Amino acid sequence: MRTTSRPHPIRRIAAVAAAAALLLTGCGAAQGQPGASGEPEAVQGGTLRVGFGGADVANYDPHQRPQLFPRTVTRQIADTLTEQDPETGEILPWLAESWEISDDTTEFTFHLREGVTFSDGTPLDAEAVAANFDRIVEIGPLAFIAGSYFRGYVGAEVLDERTVRVEFDAPNAQFLQATATQSLAILAQATLELDPERVAAGEVIGSGPFTIESYEPEQRLVLAAREDYAWPSPIAENQGRAHYDTVEISFLPDATTLAGSVQSGQLDFAYILDASTTSTIEASGATLLRTPMPAISIPLVPLLHREVFQDEDLRRALSLATDRQAIVDTVFQGAYVPATGVLTTTNPGYVDLSEELQHDPEAAAALLDGTAWSTVGDDGIRTDDAGEPLAITIQYTGGGTTETLLQLVQQQWRQVGIDLRLEPVADLSEFTIHDYPFDITTWSQTRADPDVLRIVYSSFYENQSFLFGHADAEVDEALGRLQTTVDPAERLEASETVQRLLLERGYTVPLYDLVQFSAAAPGIQGAHADIEGKPFFADLHG
Amino acid sequence: MIARALGSAGAALRQPGAVAAALVLAVLVGWALAPTAFAPLDPVHDLDAAAPLAPPSAAHWFGTDVLGRDVFSRVVHGARVSLLAGLVAVAISLTIGTALGIVAAYAGRWTDTAISRSVDVLVAIPGLLLSMALVSILGFGVDRVAIAVGLAGIPGFVRIARAETIRILSLPYFDAARTSGTRPLRILASHVLPNATGPVVVLAGLELGGAILAVAGLSFLGFGAVPPLPEWGSMVNEGRLHIATAWWLTFFPGAVVAATVLALNRLSRNARRRA
C-alpha cells in the first residue's frame, strides 16, 4: 500500500497525534506483520464487533453479487484459487499451488493444494472447482460479473483429483486474475445445488477461516471461526484458526455513527468509512487503513443513447470543463486523488494520461462554440438556434458527498455554459443503462486488472457496458487484444490504447480515484487489507 | 443562542418575549423579501475556493461550507424557500381543512360521520410519516414537500372548524337567520365563517411553525430542496457529515429553524390569549 501524506487544509490536530496515527497505519497496513506489542495468543476467543458502513446488500452468494460487502464477507468464509499481491498486483498461488496457461491464453490448468476441505467436511478437489465454474455459467444473468469472466467458456475438465483444466474458445487472458476475485470463490457442492435465492440468503458453505453462523437481513450477520482452518491466503498473517471465536457484523448506514463507534471502541472494526470522517479517526488513536482502490477512476459517463450526446465535441468539452483537483480538495478534503487516467493508479493497467485530463475551460468553450450550442444566453447558459438551453440532467440517490460533488461540477460546467441539472430520486434500480431516461451517470467498478475496461466501456454486456448498442470498432478491437496475452507489458500497451480512445472520443469523464478507508479501534492489532481493501478478520486480535 | 435568549427572556418577562419573537419574524420576512439586501454573497455561484469549511469570521459570519459558499448568505436566501413552503403548506391545510370542517358540521349525519371518521384515521398516523408517504408519491422538491405537509395538516383544521361551526350552529342568531329564510350558503359565508375564523387563525399560526419544521425535516431527509437551492433543512443535512470538524454547517441553519418556529409559536400564543 502506498503511503501518501498530503497537506490538509482544515485538519487541526496535534502534530504528534497525527504522526502516531500515521505510524500505526504504516505498521498495520504496509508490512502486514503482527502488532509491535509481541505475538498474539493463538486463540483469544470472544467476539469481534464489526460495523459495515451502509445498508445490508442482502445477497451473500459470491458468484452473484459484485458489491464490496458481500465480497468482504466471502473473503472470510471462502477461498479462491489465487491471491493478488496488494502492492505489486502479482498473482500468487493459494488454493491452486501452480498453474499453466497455453500460449494462446485459451487453456488454464490449475494444480490444487492438498488437504483442503469445505466446512461441511467435503474435499475441495478438481471436481468441486469444475462444478463451481459450471454453476457460474449456468446461473447466467444472476452472476453477471462472474459470468463476464467466462466469456467463451467451453468447459472445465477434471484431469485428476487435484488438476483441473479450464478451456475457452477464444483468448481470455484476464481469467487468471479473475480466479483471485471473490466472484470466483470456490463453494461446496452442497451450496451449488441449492436454489440461488437460498444461497443469496446466506446458506453459503466455503473453505474459509469462518462460517456463517446466523444471518438476520438488515440486522446482523454472525460468523464463527473454523477450528481446523490451515490453508490461509499467502498474504494473511495468521496461519491457523482465527483469533476470535465469532465475528458479529452490523450495518450502520450513517457515516458519523460508524466513525464514532470505532473511535470509542463500541466497534472493533469499521469497514468503509466516509472520507469526511477520516481526519477525526486519525486523531482518536484508531488504526486507519487507506486503500487506493484498483478500479476504474470514478467517472461521469455521457450516455450515448441520449440525443444531446450525439455530439462528440460536447462530450469532450465536459472533460476539459472539469477541475478535478478542486473536486478532490473541496468535496473530499484531499482524501481522494484526482483521476490521471481511465484506470486508477493501483490498477495493473494504469497509464498516466494526466495530459489528457487537464482543466482548460477556454478549450472547452472553443470546442462548444463549434457545436449547435454556439450562443451564450444572458444567464451564462448556451442555447442552440431554436433557443433550447444546453442542459444535461443527472439522477442520483442518497445525497451526501455525491450531492456536494455534483453541485461543484455544476458550477464548473456552468463556466463554459453547460447547465447540469440535478435530480435526486429515492431509487434508481428500475432502469438499466440503455433505457435510462437521463443524460449522464456515474459508475464504480473495482477490479485489479485492466480487463475492468472491457466490462465497463466495451459494447459487450447489455447491463454493464456503456458502449452497448453504440459499438466503437477500434475500442472493441483493442479490448480484444487485452485478452490475447498474459504478458504485462503487452497488456499495458493495449490498456493505454483503449484509454486514449475513450478519452479522445469523449466516452467518459474520469473524475477521481476512490480511496477506501477502514479502521480498527484503538487496541485492535493486525489490521490489514487485500488489494481491494477487504480486511482479514482472522488476523485481527486484541 | 437566539432560541435560548428567547426562551429565558420569555420566562422572566412575558412581553419582551413577544417583542423578540416579532423582531425575529421581521428579520426573517426581510430576508425572504429582499435577500440580496442582507446577504453579502450569492448563495450558489460564489465559491470561495481558497476557504472551504472556513469557521465563522468577519468575512463569513456563519463560516463557509464544503464548496466554499457563504453559509450566512445561504441561510438568508433559504428564508424565502422555507417561509414560502410553510405558507403554502398552511394555506392548503387551512382552506381544505376549514371547508371540510364546516361542511361536516353543517351537513351533519352521514356526511359528518364520513368526514370525521376519515379525519380520526388520519390523525392516528403521525403527520411527518404521512408527509413522507405523500412525498414519495409526489416526488422530490420543495414545492411537493410543501403540498405533502399541507395535506398532512388538514385533519387539525377539520376538527377545529367543525367544533367552531357546531358551537355557532347552536347560537340563537343562527336560528334567527335560518327561520328568516336565508339560504344555507349565505349563512355559511356571512355567519359561520367569520365567527369560526378566530381559533382557526390561531391554529394557522401554530401550524406555520410546525409546517416550516416539517418541510425542513423532510429536506433534511433528502426529500426536499433540489441542490444547489439553499434550504435550511438540506443545509443541516449537508453539514451532518462534517459535524465533528465544522459545527457551523449544521448549527446556524438549525438555530435559525429553531428561532423561526419558537417565534411563531410565541406570537400565536399571544394571539390565542387575545382571541
Side-chain angles (χ1 to χ4, degrees), chain A residues 84 89 91 177 181 294-295 346-349 446-450 452 531-532:
Chain A
Q84 201 165 7
I91 306 297
Q177 191 274 341
T181 68
T346 49
N347 190 303
T446 304
R447 188 173 177 201
D449 191 275
V452 68
I531 192 163
E532 290 181 348

Side-chain angles (χ1 to χ4, degrees), chain A residues 10 12 254-256 274 276-277 279-280 330-331 333 396 400-401 403-404 407-408 410-411 414 422-426, chain B residues 44-45 47 49 52-53 55 66-67 69 74 140 222-229 237-238 240-245 248:
Chain A
I10 55 137
R12 283 185 289 135
D254 186 83
T256 43
D274 193 275
S276 63
T277 59
S279 57
T280 55
T330 56
V331 180
Q333 286 110 57
Y396 61 97
T401 315
E403 198 159 73
T404 314
Q407 289 186 67
L408 183 56
Q410 184 179 50
Q411 294 307 316
R414 206 189 153 75
L422 311 189
E423 194 150 325
V425 289
Chain B
V44 173
H45 300 306
L47 308 185
L53 291 177
V66 178
L67 297 182
R69 296 175 297 201
R74 285 179 69 74
F140 289 38
F223 293 107
V226 173
L229 184 74
N237 186 28
E238 279 178 42
R240 199 170 48 91
L241 274 178
H242 304 274
I243 197 155
T245 44
W248 52 92

Side-chain angles (χ1 to χ4, degrees), chain A residues 51-53 250-267 269-270 272-274 277 281, chain B residues 240-241 243-244:
Chain A
F52 278 6
S250 47
F251 303 92
L252 298 168
D254 186 83
T256 43
T257 310
L258 182 70
S261 303
V262 74
Q263 284 169 46
S264 65
Q266 277 174 286
L267 285 176
F269 194 87
I272 311 198
L273 292 154
D274 193 275
T277 59
I281 296 264
Chain B
R240 199 170 48 91
L241 274 178
I243 197 155

